[in-house]
């Protein structure tokens, strides 16, 4: 309760300096403590070979409608998951019946053409709930302990990411919360081009094309045993948003190590976000903030907002140059 503020500075050839400030006995008095942690010699802690040949990943995707997005997802899943990786299972938890036959047909066609049998289709006759879908998919698995990758239909991943998912999870010890790169609206980013590039050409990590979604906790890798032991999702949370943060906090307060780091092989593809009226005020606010963040950078949005002023300025300059 007496802590006021703290800063630290790391000098690469010396160590880390910490300055901690605490409130004093009177209003204008403070106490400052300066600590220094010097760098020491490197100590070898462990040297081991890690074989991931038999480590299966169960990709769980909750879904309602969005058949066209699912077709795009399956193209990525087929190339990266089936053809390049090969140690993967897909669980689709589908809500409702609208477009269900189309989604099942996409699954079956991929199964036949890629000779892929490692998939599960679960249908729930109820309103969409992301947390419920992921929870049902995780608990449905009846095999040995498996790595779960909670994924959305608008995610693009690489085979390298799947190995990162394996290497950064360990039952009873580690869960992995990658920070993905979120794509801006291609219509805004490439609006000045003759045409929008192909999806593969859009997956470029630059500040003009997207941003690191460091506030997002929806895509995560963990062993099924850890997910079950932690209690899974809070199923009282309905609709969009909140369930992922709740699970993240439970892991943070557990004995497990939470690994949180940006990864280059995980992308959130842009799609128009709709914030439904039935969301709670807090969920609706979160949804609208996410919607704004997804469109473009501050600079690009500024160019759109002030488009009329910019055009007026250019027009005045042209008139001025003609007069001179």
């Amino acid at each position: 309760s007496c802590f006021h503020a703290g800063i630290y500075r790391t000098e690469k050839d010396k160590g880390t300096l910490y300055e901690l400030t605490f409130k004093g006995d009177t209003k204008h008095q403070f106490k400052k403590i300066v600590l220094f942690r010097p760098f020491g010699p490197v100590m070898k802690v462990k040297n081991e070979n890690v074989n991931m040949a038999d480590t299966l990943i169960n990709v769980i995707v909750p879904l309602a409608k969005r058949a066209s997005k699912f077709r795009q997802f399956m193209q990525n899943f087929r190339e990266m998951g089936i053809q390049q990786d090969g140690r993967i299972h897909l669980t689709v938890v589908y809500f409702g019946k609208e477009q269900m036959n189309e989604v099942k047909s996409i699954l079956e066609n991929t199964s036949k053409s890629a000779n892929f049998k490692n998939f599960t289709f679960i249908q729930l006759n109820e309103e969409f709930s992301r947390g419920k879908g992921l929870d049902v998919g995780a608990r449905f698995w009846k095999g040995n302990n498996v790595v779960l990758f909670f994924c959305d239909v608008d995610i693009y991943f690489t085979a390298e990411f799947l190995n990162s998912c394996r290497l950064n999870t360990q039952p009873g010890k580690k869960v992995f919360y990658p920070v993905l790169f979120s794509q801006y609206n291609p219509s805004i980013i490439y609006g000045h081009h003759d045409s929008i590039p192909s999806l593969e050409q859009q997956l470029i990590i630059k500040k003009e094309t997207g941003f690191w979604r460091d506030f997002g906790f929806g895509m995560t890798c963990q062993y099924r045993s850890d997910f079950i032991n932690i209690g899974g999702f809070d199923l009282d949370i309905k609709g969009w948003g909140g369930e992922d943060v709740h699970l993240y906090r439970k892991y943070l307060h557990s004995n497990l190590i939470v690994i949180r780091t940006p990864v280059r092989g995980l992308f959130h593809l842009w799609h128009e976000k709709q914030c439904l009226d039935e969301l709670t005020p807090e969920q609706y606010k979160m949804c609208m903030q996410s919607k704004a963040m997804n469109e473009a950078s501050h600079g690009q949005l500024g160019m759109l907002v002030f488009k009329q002023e910019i055009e007026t300025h250019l027009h005045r300059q042209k008139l001025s140059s003609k007069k001179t």
Side-chain angles (χ1 to χ4, degrees):
S1 61
C2 296
F3 180 71
H4 175 70
I7 60 173
Y8 74 92
R9 181 180 73 254
T10 300
E11 298 182 12
K12 61 183 180 180
D13 58 343
K14 296 178 182 178
T16 304
L17 187 75
Y18 301 85
E19 294 186 9
L20 307 177
T21 306
F22 298 86
K23 297 176 183 176
D25 297 330
T26 63
K27 183 178 179 180
H28 300 294
Q29 282 188 333
F30 295 89
K31 182 177 182 179
K32 179 179 285 188
I33 299 176
V34 179
L35 304 172
F36 182 65
R37 176 185 288 174
F39 291 138
V42 175
M43 296 175 60
K44 182 186 289 186
V45 177
K46 185 184 291 186
N47 185 359
E48 62 178 349
N49 294 319
V50 181
N51 187 349
M52 293 291 172
D54 298 324
T55 304
L56 184 73
I57 295 179
N58 185 5
V59 181
I60 303 180
V61 180
L63 187 64
K65 304 175 187 177
R66 305 187 72 186
S68 60
K69 279 289 181 182
F70 184 70
R71 179 176 285 106
Q72 183 183 61
F73 172 84
M74 286 305 297
Q75 291 174 353
N76 172 226
F77 183 89
R78 175 173 178 162
E79 179 184 355
M80 299 297 175
I82 301 174
Q83 296 175 350
Q84 293 193 30
D85 187 85
R87 298 153 292 160
I88 201 164
H89 187 98
L90 175 63
T91 299
V92 177
V93 183
Y94 198 86
F95 289 81
K97 294 184 178 179
E98 189 177 351
Q99 298 185 23
M100 183 184 71
N101 290 334
E102 189 174 350
V103 167
K104 289 181 73 174
S105 176
I106 295 168
L107 258 178
E108 291 166 359
N109 289 338
T110 302
S111 174
K112 291 176 183 177
S113 60
N115 193 26
F116 178 70
K117 308 296 182 184
N118 294 336
F119 69 91
T120 303
F121 186 86
I122 304 168
Q123 196 260 336
L124 301 178
N125 287 318
E126 53 188 272
E127 190 176 337
F128 179 81
S129 169
R130 184 178 185 273
K132 175 69 177 290
L134 294 172
D135 204 273
V136 167
R139 296 179 189 277
F140 191 85
W141 179 262
K142 298 298 187 289
N144 296 330
N145 200 11
V146 66
V147 178
L148 304 176
F149 171 35
F150 292 156
C151 188
D152 288 342
V153 73
D154 45 27
I155 294 298
Y156 181 97
F157 60 83
T158 65
E160 287 76 17
F161 165 74
L162 295 176
N163 277 326
S164 296
C165 187
R166 294 181 176 97
L167 290 168
N168 289 298
T169 54
Q170 190 174 354
K173 293 187 177 181
K174 295 189 295 185
V175 296
F176 185 38
Y177 271 84
V179 178
L180 53 77
F181 191 76
S182 195
Q183 185 186 43
Y184 286 142
N185 186 344
S187 297
I188 295 177
I189 303 304
Y190 305 102
H192 58 288
H193 291 226
D194 294 333
S195 61
I196 296 176
S198 66
L199 175 60
E200 287 72 20
Q201 292 175 311
Q202 292 178 35
L203 300 178
I204 302 171
I205 298 177
K206 295 195 303 184
K207 65 179 181 180
E208 296 85 7
T209 60
F211 63 99
W212 291 107
R213 191 181 281 261
D214 52 9
F215 57 84
F217 303 93
M219 302 330 118
T220 177
C221 301
Q222 68 264 283
Y223 270 86
R224 182 180 180 274
S225 58
D226 293 326
F227 177 77
I228 299 297
N229 290 336
I230 207 74
F233 284 102
D234 181 356
L235 299 184
D236 291 331
I237 300 175
K238 305 296 182 183
W240 185 94
E243 80 290 330
D244 50 356
V245 177
H246 185 267
L247 180 66
Y248 177 70
R249 286 173 177 165
K250 288 205 292 187
Y251 278 131
L252 284 180
H253 289 95
S254 72
N255 293 324
L256 298 170
I257 297 172
V258 177
I259 298 178
R260 179 85 169 146
T261 182
V263 292
R264 299 184 64 86
L266 191 63
F267 294 86
H268 177 266
L269 305 179
W270 182 88
H271 62 88
E272 187 172 357
K273 187 178 290 292
Q274 295 181 343
C275 301
L276 304 177
D277 290 338
E278 55 263 32
L279 295 175
T280 66
E282 183 62 26
Q283 286 178 317
Y284 192 83
K285 181 180 177 181
M286 289 170 58
C287 187
M288 291 300 291
Q289 288 173 340
S290 179
K291 182 175 182 177
M293 289 284 292
N294 283 337
E295 288 299 308
S297 67
H298 287 164
Q300 290 162 326
L301 288 177
M303 294 294 286
L304 291 175
V305 171
F306 302 114
K307 182 179 180 180
Q308 186 62 48
E309 294 181 36
I310 295 171
E311 290 178 350
T312 301
H313 172 73
L314 292 174
H315 181 66
R316 287 172 180 167
Q317 281 202 330
K318 287 182 180 178
L319 290 177
S320 177
S321 61
K322 286 181 179 179
K323 289 179 182 179
T324 57

